[in-house]
Amino acid sequence: SNLWKRSVPDESVVGLPCRIAYQMLESATGAQARKASSGSLALSMIAATVDSAQCLLGTVVAALVDLLHTYDHMATLVAELCTMVNERPTNVLATELLREIGRLDTSSGHNGGSSSQSDANLGNKASGIKNVAPFVSELAAVRPRVVLANMSLLLPHLDSEPYVIRSAIVNAIGHILVREEEDDVGEQSAGDKDEDDEEDRGERRIVDMAKTRGSLFDILCDRTRDVTSFTRAASLKVLNELTERRSLPLDRIMPVTAIAIDRLQDKTVMVRRYAMQLLTTLLENNPFMGMLNPDLYRTKIRELEAYLKCNVPEEILKARDAALEEARSNKEEEDKSQPGEDAVGDVDKDIEEIESAALAAAIADAESKQESNEDLTDAETEFLARVRGLKFASSALSFIDVFEDANDSFQTMLMSTNPSDVTEALRFFVKAKHFGLPCAVTGMKRALALMWSNETNVQEEVLRAFVEVFVSEPGTDGKELLPENRIAQNFLDLAGEATVSELASIEEALGRLVKKEVIPPDVFSVLWTMASQAEGQPRASAMLVISMAAGADPKIVDSAYRLQNLYDAGLGDYTEEHRDWKTARSAACALQRVARAKVDPSSAKYIILDLITERLVAVARGDWCDDEAAGDTASWFCAAEQAVNAIFTISPAPEKVAMEILLGHQAGIFGASEEEQPANSTAHSLRLSRFFFVLGHVALKLLIYTEVLSSSVRRANAAKTVKKQESASSGNKGKDADAESKEGASDEEEDDAIEAELGIAAQAEAETERKVAEISENEIVGRGMISLFTPMLLRVVANEEGIYSSPVLMQSATLALCKCMCISKSFCEKHLTLLFSVLAKAPNDDQDLRANIVIALGDLAFRFPNEVEPYTPKIYACLRDKSTRVRRHTLMVLTHLILNDMVKVKGNVCEIALCLQDQEPRIRDMARLLFHELSKRTNSPIYNLLPDIVSQLSQLNLKQEVFREIMLFLLCFIKKDRQNEMLMEKLIQRFPKCTSINQKADLAYCIAQLKVNDKCIKCLNDSFKLYKDALFDEDVLKNFVSVVSKAKKNTKLDTKDTIEELENKLNLHAAAGMENVAADKKAARAKKRAAKRVQRKKEWEESDEEEVMSEPDPEELEFDEENQPENMKAPQVGERAAKKRTGRSRARRGRGVLS
């Protein structure tokens, strides 16, 4: 006060340290820079100035706002400064800063000035707002109550254009809600020591804060539907943090869960990721029990409702009984007056409504007593406790149902092409499995299909999820494993109800875990025990899991001890007695992991494998099958297939064992001699089915076995040649220099010998391949044992007389024929016609037969493409089959053939394009996948195919929306400018060939979907005469106008005249065309009226002639005329006709006047 006159400080002197501090803060961009520039001291100087000189507050605020606008690192520093000033009674600095931010102009418009100047101003404004916005959230993190008190200044910015300010306000609301929740908890704990006179004030404050919290939560929920994805993501992130800190009120859990599920459909990856994280956090922090199994809660609700209904208060119970009796009496009276069939149902419904109303009244009465602080009896206290339990269980069940109803959205996230979506979905399903949600089971099974993903991180995430769900303790990240019995049981549950595709994924995941030694060896000991002692499905599942693991580690089954266990458990007496084909199949799968046995009678492994082979032969022959049960044979097929596979894997001479199997089937079917056979004896259809199945599979395995032997011979020859080369090169290393000079000629001779040896080796390899081809072409189905049965097989497949009516027999015989055709080219070519005739004549209800033939045709096309190529249109025709399964299999086969260049697409691609609009979603997705894969090729197949597709689709008279949806999808693959130009030219050339205006409208639509450049506009202008006749149609004109509109947006100055010329032509010819159309319609109407007049005139003339012919002869009436009175005499014919003509002419004149 002694330094200044009248104790008023000089602003220039007091503000000098602040200006120095501002310069120091400008360079404090980080921790090191702040330390170097003494940023903390600068903040202290500014805080001291604000506290000591209130008159400089406006100057300091203006300077700080300018710094916030200019530098992006100032938000944290200014927020820290607000914590350093004196806050009694209020934080004046923070309040003024928030007031200045509330006054910010966030509009993007400009009032005047040059374009460049306005653009620069807009850029500076956007940059300034981007730097200022973080200050709001930073201040809310350290002083939430200050921001809350001034929130009214910031809320108008929620409607502003910059998303950064909206996101900052959302983050500030999150900080406020978190800190206020913590402060309330602290105040409540400290409030126990307060006096009673402050209780009312505390209650009022709690009510006001609850209302404020509700309003802030409403803002957060509204911002989850913001127009900008960044703000939507910020809102979901804030809700996630509130849930993690348990600051989310109980009444907000269900709405927030619904919002998160809804945001799973967002088009932005970031929003979907935060939505899935929010759902996972809600699941982890749910206010209910650890397990969210809905069955438990439904059982609990039924128990509680039964108790409450039985313990309703006496007065309410009397009223309920009276109402029930009245309802029954009223119903009886109605039934007597109006008997009806639904009387019982109506009575039950009324009784249920009355009991529900009574229960609700009892609950309301008990709660009102509790609120009025009345003394409750023990029974009433227990009743209230049960009511609370009922509400708790009902809320939990509603929470579970929300997640269950969103299962489709979770599955969509899991199958997303974005790795982030897949990762978050996997983490959610892991948590859901730990909490027992039913949707987690199906989700994890679907997730296992991602083991085949091309993304390595996705595969690793799936494997990690597999371990967390089935192998490790929950929440330990795979570090602590479950007990061995639990792991084994999890594997059994997983494999027991899995489909074939899911089993393949499970096997892949299990194999990787076995290789990494994640699964303890004791787990497989438990599985062996289960396979030996369990019965039914657990026995088969245990054996199946063992076979899966043996694929990665054959030591699990490849030992004499384990093979003995496998023999007893999988192929022993239990399997034979119970005809447990699942266990036999699983045992055969495990045997395929065992190495081929060497002939050694003294070896224990050889002995046990010999015993196992005998049991496999019995399985393959169907010795245990029941001929009276078709279901037993249907289950036998899979076991027999794997049994034959196992025989060709472990047997030293599988061809002999296969012959034994076929002879056993022959003896079972045709075993009786001709003398003992009845005259009209017939073979059992199921036995024939089993025989044909084994016949075809043995033929195919013989081909594979022959190729395996051929590969072994080639490898042996190659190893022998390499060994000779190594010995020849090593023999020259010990020679000295003199010997090398003397024996140079001998080295050359040795090189020539090696080359000759290599030639002999190549010749031997070619000879081996020729012999293999000869065996597969002529021996297996030509001159071997199988050839003895092919005539019978062909007769059954042809079924010319229609005597074979068993669907199982026809399917088995056709499948065997297809397998035999895969072996020999001549056999295939000879019987392809028969196979396609069977496909065409197959019954409509036998979709399995048609689906099997289609799949077999795919295999034949891979093996013998030239022979199958003429029949390709018939394969495409199966895409129009009535059966969804047949169409799906056909498209799958064609997809593989096309992508492997085994089938030509051109000419039949229209059939695949129609699959884009199939009723089955899987068929639509597969067709889209095919076109996506084709679009990746360098030769642009879709561009080359589009003209044919347009031509063929336009001739099918499809609905307009179907045609346009197909073309819209296909045209999105045309991305190169040159392709757009050429395709537009081709489409324009097709206009004169169109036979209807609808076809021209479709072509115009296709042109409108293409990208437009200068050359396209020139082509449209030069070829105007080709499509000008169609411009009278509104649809055609609209599409061409859209092309011109797109051209105006992306055009150059030199083509502007061409665009205007084209636009004028369009408008001129469109108007002329519409006038011509109107004139044609008018002429057609006039012609129609003239035709009607001619027709009426002709009808009148014909009617006059009929009347003349019907008049009697005047001579016949002469004797009557004399005796008749004067007024009764008939008029003459001419007079009557004249009168009629006069009347008609008057009528015509009258109509003319009226018209």
Side-chain angles (χ1 to χ4, degrees):
S1 61
N2 296 326
L3 293 176
W4 322 108
K5 294 179 180 180
R6 300 178 183 177
S7 299
V8 178
D10 188 354
E11 294 185 7
S12 59
V13 177
V14 178
L16 180 61
C18 290
R19 289 194 292 272
I20 298 172
Y22 300 152
Q23 295 177 1
M24 295 166 64
L25 291 177
E26 289 176 3
S27 58
T29 56
Q32 296 295 331
R34 175 176 176 175
K35 185 176 181 181
S37 61
S38 301
S40 299
L41 294 176
L43 293 176
S44 300
M45 286 192 294
I46 299 173
T49 302
V50 172
D51 291 338
S52 60
Q54 294 290 332
C55 61
L56 294 179
L57 180 62
T59 306
V60 172
V61 169
L64 291 176
V65 171
D66 184 65
L67 288 174
L68 284 172
H69 270 278
T70 309
Y71 301 100
D72 58 353
H73 68 278
M74 286 298 300
T76 306
L77 296 176
V78 176
E80 184 179 351
L81 174 62
C82 292
T83 63
M84 300 171 68
V85 300
N86 187 8
E87 300 189 30
R88 294 185 180 274
T90 58
N91 194 321
V92 182
L93 178 61
T95 302
E96 291 299 323
L97 286 172
L98 291 175
R99 185 173 285 111
E100 290 297 324
I101 292 174
R103 295 170 182 166
L104 286 176
D105 181 16
T106 57
S107 62
S108 60
H110 54 84
N111 298 326
S114 63
S115 176
S116 60
Q117 183 179 359
S118 62
D119 291 342
N121 293 335
L122 288 176
N124 294 333
K125 181 188 294 185
S127 177
I129 293 172
K130 184 178 180 181
N131 296 335
V132 170
F135 168 72
V136 178
S137 59
E138 293 290 341
L139 182 61
V142 292
R143 291 294 182 268
R145 293 195 174 183
V146 175
V147 179
L148 177 60
N150 297 276
M151 183 60 69
S152 59
L153 303 174
L154 302 175
L155 290 180
H157 284 309
L158 288 175
D159 299 326
S160 62
E161 186 174 346
Y163 73 89
V164 288
I165 192 70
R166 300 199 304 272
S167 300
I169 294 173
V170 166
N171 290 326
I173 291 174
H175 291 306
I176 292 170
L177 290 172
V178 171
R179 291 294 297 273
E180 286 298 321
E181 181 74 21
E182 294 174 355
D183 292 347
D184 285 352
V185 172
E187 289 179 3
Q188 288 175 8
S189 61
D192 297 336
K193 302 177 183 179
D194 294 342
E195 300 296 333
D196 295 337
D197 56 354
E198 296 181 0
E199 289 183 0
D200 295 339
R201 184 174 58 186
E203 290 179 0
R204 287 195 298 271
R205 183 183 179 281
I206 291 173
V207 171
D208 294 339
M209 193 60 210
K211 293 180 179 179
T212 304
R213 270 204 207 98
S215 301
L216 295 178
F217 271 111
D218 290 338
I219 294 173
L220 275 181
C221 294
D222 290 340
R223 288 302 107 188
T224 57
R225 296 177 178 85
D226 195 273
V227 295
T228 306
S229 60
F230 293 102
T231 306
R232 297 198 298 271
S235 303
L236 292 172
K237 188 177 180 181
V238 168
L239 289 172
N240 189 22
E241 292 175 356
L242 291 172
T243 308
E244 285 181 346
R245 294 172 178 266
R246 297 186 178 275
S247 299
L248 190 67
L250 293 179
D251 59 342
R252 293 282 176 175
I253 290 179
M254 294 297 290
V256 169
T257 305
I259 288 172
I261 291 173
D262 177 67
R263 288 299 90 201
L264 293 179
Q265 308 297 327
D266 200 282
K267 62 181 180 180
T268 309
V269 176
M270 177 174 57
V271 178
R272 296 198 300 269
R273 181 172 70 249
Y274 283 124
M276 189 57 83
Q277 289 177 0
L278 175 56
L279 288 171
T280 306
T281 307
L282 285 167
L283 201 58
E284 290 176 342
N285 298 278
N286 74 85
F288 311 105
M289 297 185 202
M291 290 300 294
L292 294 176
N293 189 345
D295 296 335
L296 299 177
Y297 286 101
R298 291 191 182 100
T299 304
K300 189 68 175 176
I301 288 174
R302 287 194 293 268
E303 293 175 357
L304 291 172
E305 286 181 346
Y307 175 85
L308 294 176
K309 288 179 180 178
C310 295
N311 292 273
V312 172
E314 189 68 26
E315 58 274 9
I316 298 178
L317 186 63
K318 292 180 180 178
R320 184 194 68 179
D321 294 340
L324 290 175
E325 184 149 353
E326 182 180 358
R328 291 192 183 97
S329 61
N330 292 337
K331 200 62 187 175
E332 290 176 359
E333 294 177 359
E334 291 179 4
D335 292 342
K336 290 179 181 179
S337 59
Q338 297 178 354
E341 298 180 356
D342 298 334
V344 178
D346 293 339
V347 170
D348 294 339
K349 186 176 179 180
D350 293 340
I351 291 174
E352 185 177 353
E353 290 179 354
I354 293 172
E355 289 181 348
S356 299
L359 181 60
I363 293 173
D365 182 62
E367 290 178 344
S368 63
K369 287 182 180 180
Q370 185 184 21
E371 291 176 357
S372 59
N373 295 324
E374 295 182 12
D375 294 332
L376 302 176
T377 63
D378 294 340
E380 291 175 340
T381 304
E382 179 66 18
F383 189 85
L384 276 173
R386 297 298 178 96
V387 168
R388 288 193 293 270
L390 178 62
K391 291 183 177 180
F392 177 84
S394 300
S395 300
L397 190 60
S398 301
F399 183 75
I400 296 170
D401 290 340
V402 170
F403 282 93
E404 290 298 308
D405 294 340
N407 191 27
D408 292 339
S409 299
F410 300 149
Q411 301 288 348
T412 303
M413 288 283 290
L414 193 62
M415 295 295 113
S416 173
T417 56
N418 189 279
S420 175
D421 292 346
V422 177
T423 302
E424 295 299 333
L426 283 171
R427 292 173 183 170
F428 169 79
F429 279 121
V430 169
K431 295 296 181 183
K433 185 67 171 63
H434 292 161
F435 283 97
L437 280 178
C439 66
V441 179
T442 56
M444 286 306 302
K445 287 185 177 181
R446 290 286 300 274
L448 289 173
L450 297 173
M451 287 299 302
W452 313 103
S453 173
N454 295 327
E455 299 286 341
T456 306
N457 58 341
V458 172
Q459 296 181 10
E460 293 175 354
E461 192 66 34
V462 173
L463 208 59
R464 190 181 301 112
F466 186 88
V467 172
E468 290 184 10
V469 172
F470 301 107
V471 180
S472 67
E473 291 282 356
T476 60
D477 295 332
K479 296 178 181 178
E480 297 180 12
L481 301 183
L482 293 168
E484 288 78 6
N485 292 334
R486 285 279 306 279
I487 296 175
Q489 188 61 46
N490 287 339
F491 288 162
L492 294 185
D493 296 339
L494 183 63
E497 300 178 356
T499 62
V500 177
S501 59
E502 291 170 352
L503 287 175
S505 303
I506 294 170
E507 183 174 2
E508 179 68 17
L510 202 59
R512 295 194 185 186
L513 294 179
V514 170
K515 289 180 181 178
K516 294 180 179 180
E517 298 181 354
V518 176
I519 302 176
D522 293 339
V523 173
F524 299 107
S525 300
V526 174
L527 289 171
W528 277 112
T529 304
M530 291 181 175
S532 303
Q533 299 177 359
E535 296 183 357
Q537 182 63 42
R539 188 186 192 99
S541 299
M543 191 63 68
L544 182 60
V545 174
I546 290 172
S547 68
M548 290 178 179
D553 186 9
K555 295 179 182 179
I556 296 175
V557 295
D558 197 359
S559 65
Y561 174 72
R562 290 304 185 191
L563 288 174
Q564 181 65 45
N565 290 343
L566 189 147
Y567 173 80
D568 296 333
L571 300 170
D573 295 337
Y574 175 86
T575 305
E576 181 178 357
E577 291 174 2
H578 295 81
R579 292 193 295 278
D580 190 354
W581 301 118
K582 291 184 178 180
T583 303
R585 176 187 176 276
S586 302
C589 291
L591 286 169
Q592 295 173 42
R593 274 67 176 175
V594 180
R596 192 179 301 279
K598 296 181 180 179
V599 180
D600 184 7
S602 61
S603 172
K605 180 179 177 181
Y606 173 77
I607 295 173
I608 188 62
L609 283 177
D610 190 38
L611 295 175
I612 288 174
T613 303
E614 292 180 1
R615 303 296 285 184
L616 290 175
V617 169
V619 172
R621 284 200 305 251
D623 294 346
W624 310 337
C625 287
D626 184 4
D627 292 339
E628 302 302 325
D632 188 57
T633 297
S635 303
W636 169 87
F637 285 125
C638 293
E641 180 183 5
Q642 298 302 328
V644 174
N645 293 343
I647 288 171
F648 275 86
T649 302
I650 65 174
S651 176
E655 68 280 4
K656 296 181 181 179
V657 181
M659 185 181 298
E660 180 183 351
I661 294 173
L662 294 178
L663 292 176
H665 275 284
Q666 181 191 17
I669 300 173
F670 312 105
S673 61
E674 295 182 2
E675 292 80 6
E676 297 175 356
Q677 283 184 351
N680 295 324
S681 62
T682 57
H684 199 285
S685 62
L686 293 180
R687 290 190 178 184
L688 269 178
S689 302
R690 295 195 294 268
F691 172 60
F692 286 144
F693 179 82
V694 173
L695 179 70
H697 197 58
V698 165
L700 194 59
K701 295 302 293 184
L702 284 174
L703 174 64
I704 297 172
Y705 181 64
T706 304
E707 293 177 350
V708 169
L709 292 179
S710 172
S711 301
S712 301
V713 171
R714 284 196 297 270
R715 286 195 299 269
N717 291 336
K720 185 177 179 182
T721 303
V722 171
K723 188 175 182 181
K724 286 183 179 181
Q725 292 176 355
E726 291 176 353
S727 61
S729 60
S730 62
N732 294 329
K733 291 180 180 179
K735 297 179 181 180
D736 54 8
D738 295 336
E740 289 178 359
S741 60
K742 292 179 181 179
E743 296 180 2
S746 62
D747 290 343
E748 293 178 359
E749 292 177 359
E750 289 181 1
D751 293 340
D752 295 338
I754 292 173
E755 291 178 1
E757 181 69 22
L758 290 174
I760 294 172
Q763 185 178 0
E765 184 175 350
E767 181 64 20
T768 302
E769 292 180 357
R770 188 190 63 79
K771 289 182 179 179
V772 171
E774 174 69 19
I775 292 172
S776 61
E777 182 68 26
N778 299 320
E779 292 294 334
I780 298 178
V781 295
R783 293 190 289 266
M785 175 180 286
I786 295 177
S787 63
L788 301 176
F789 302 106
T790 50
M792 179 178 61
L793 176 64
L794 293 172
R795 181 179 178 184
V796 173
V797 171
N799 197 15
E800 296 177 354
E801 300 177 359
I803 60 176
Y804 306 109
S805 58
S806 172
V808 178
L809 175 60
M810 293 302 299
Q811 294 170 14
S812 178
T814 306
L815 184 60
L817 175 63
C818 294
K819 290 182 178 180
C820 292
M821 291 171 66
C822 286
I823 298 171
S824 171
K825 180 188 293 187
S826 59
F827 190 85
C828 173
E829 187 176 7
K830 183 178 180 181
H831 299 103
L832 266 175
T833 306
L834 172 62
L835 188 61
F836 277 100
S837 66
V838 173
L839 177 62
K841 297 177 182 178
N844 292 331
D845 56 347
D846 195 355
Q847 61 178 357
D848 294 337
L849 177 61
R850 301 198 300 278
N852 291 341
I853 293 175
V854 167
I855 295 174
L857 287 172
D859 296 333
L860 292 174
F862 264 101
R863 187 157 174 80
F864 309 118
N866 295 331
E867 282 69 25
V868 180
E869 195 273 334
Y871 299 91
T872 302
K874 294 185 178 181
I875 301 178
Y876 277 95
C878 295
L879 291 172
R880 297 192 297 270
D881 195 277
K882 295 181 180 179
S883 171
T884 302
R885 181 182 175 190
V886 176
R887 295 200 307 274
R888 189 175 71 249
H889 282 70
T890 305
L891 183 58
M892 181 178 62
V893 167
L894 288 172
T895 299
H896 286 291
L897 293 175
I898 292 169
L899 295 180
N900 288 279
D901 297 324
M902 305 303 295
V903 166
K904 294 180 180 179
V905 191
K906 197 168 185 179
N908 301 287
V909 70
C910 176
E911 302 290 346
I912 298 179
L914 287 174
C915 293
L916 293 169
Q917 294 296 313
D918 196 275
Q919 297 178 353
E920 175 64 26
R922 287 180 292 181
I923 294 178
R924 296 197 300 267
D925 294 341
M926 196 179 301
R928 288 175 176 268
L929 177 63
L930 173 59
F931 285 110
H932 273 293
E933 293 298 324
L934 288 175
S935 67
K936 298 177 183 178
R937 299 193 171 183
T938 56
N939 56 350
S940 304
I942 296 183
Y943 163 72
N944 297 323
L945 295 171
L946 269 174
D948 288 340
I949 295 176
V950 173
S951 176
Q952 294 177 25
L953 289 179
S954 61
Q955 296 175 6
L956 295 178
N957 295 325
L958 298 174
K959 292 183 179 180
Q960 190 179 71
E961 57 271 15
V962 173
F963 176 88
R964 296 191 174 185
E965 287 181 7
I966 293 174
M967 295 311 302
L968 180 63
F969 173 76
L970 295 177
L971 289 170
C972 69
F973 296 110
I974 308 300
K975 298 179 181 179
K976 296 181 180 179
D977 291 340
R978 180 60 178 168
Q979 292 179 355
N980 273 278
E981 297 164 7
M982 297 297 295
L983 188 58
M984 183 172 288
E985 184 178 353
K986 291 179 180 179
L987 292 175
I988 292 173
Q989 297 296 328
R990 287 183 175 270
F991 269 90
K993 301 178 182 178
C994 295
T995 58
S996 66
I997 191 61
N998 291 332
Q999 294 180 359
K1000 295 181 180 181
D1002 291 337
L1003 287 178
Y1005 176 80
C1006 296
I1007 292 173
Q1009 306 311 310
L1010 295 173
K1011 295 180 181 179
V1012 182
N1013 56 20
D1014 298 340
K1015 293 184 179 180
C1016 294
I1017 292 297
K1018 187 176 182 303
C1019 178
L1020 283 172
N1021 193 34
D1022 296 342
S1023 306
F1024 184 78
K1025 61 181 181 180
L1026 299 178
Y1027 59 87
K1028 66 178 183 180
D1029 295 337
L1031 293 175
F1032 69 89
D1033 185 74
E1034 294 182 1
D1035 197 7
V1036 176
L1037 179 63
K1038 181 181 69 174
N1039 288 310
F1040 279 107
V1041 169
S1042 67
V1043 173
V1044 174
S1045 301
K1046 286 194 294 184
K1048 287 181 178 179
K1049 296 178 182 178
N1050 305 315
T1051 186
K1052 298 179 182 178
L1053 294 176
D1054 52 354
T1055 58
K1056 191 173 182 180
D1057 296 337
T1058 308
I1059 295 174
E1060 292 178 356
E1061 180 184 355
L1062 178 61
E1063 187 175 16
N1064 294 331
K1065 287 182 180 180
L1066 290 175
N1067 295 330
L1068 180 63
H1069 284 77
M1074 291 179 182
E1075 291 178 0
N1076 293 335
V1077 170
D1080 291 342
K1081 291 181 179 179
K1082 186 176 181 180
R1085 289 195 298 268
K1087 185 177 180 180
K1088 189 175 181 180
R1089 288 196 300 268
K1092 287 183 178 179
R1093 286 197 298 269
V1094 171
Q1095 182 66 23
R1096 284 198 299 269
K1097 183 177 180 181
K1098 186 176 179 181
E1099 291 175 356
W1100 292 336
E1101 291 177 353
E1102 290 178 355
S1103 62
D1104 290 344
E1105 292 178 358
E1106 290 176 358
E1107 289 177 359
V1108 170
M1109 294 297 294
S1110 61
E1111 287 291 337
D1113 190 357
E1115 295 180 357
E1116 296 179 357
L1117 298 175
E1118 286 180 356
F1119 68 96
D1120 290 329
E1121 288 183 6
E1122 296 178 357
N1123 299 323
Q1124 294 294 330
E1126 191 68 27
N1127 57 352
M1128 294 292 292
K1129 291 184 179 180
Q1132 298 295 326
V1133 175
E1135 294 177 0
R1136 287 198 303 271
K1139 288 181 180 179
K1140 287 183 179 181
R1141 284 195 295 270
T1142 304
R1144 288 169 184 165
S1145 62
R1146 289 175 180 172
R1148 283 197 296 271
R1149 286 196 299 272
R1151 284 196 297 269
V1153 172
L1154 291 175
S1155 62

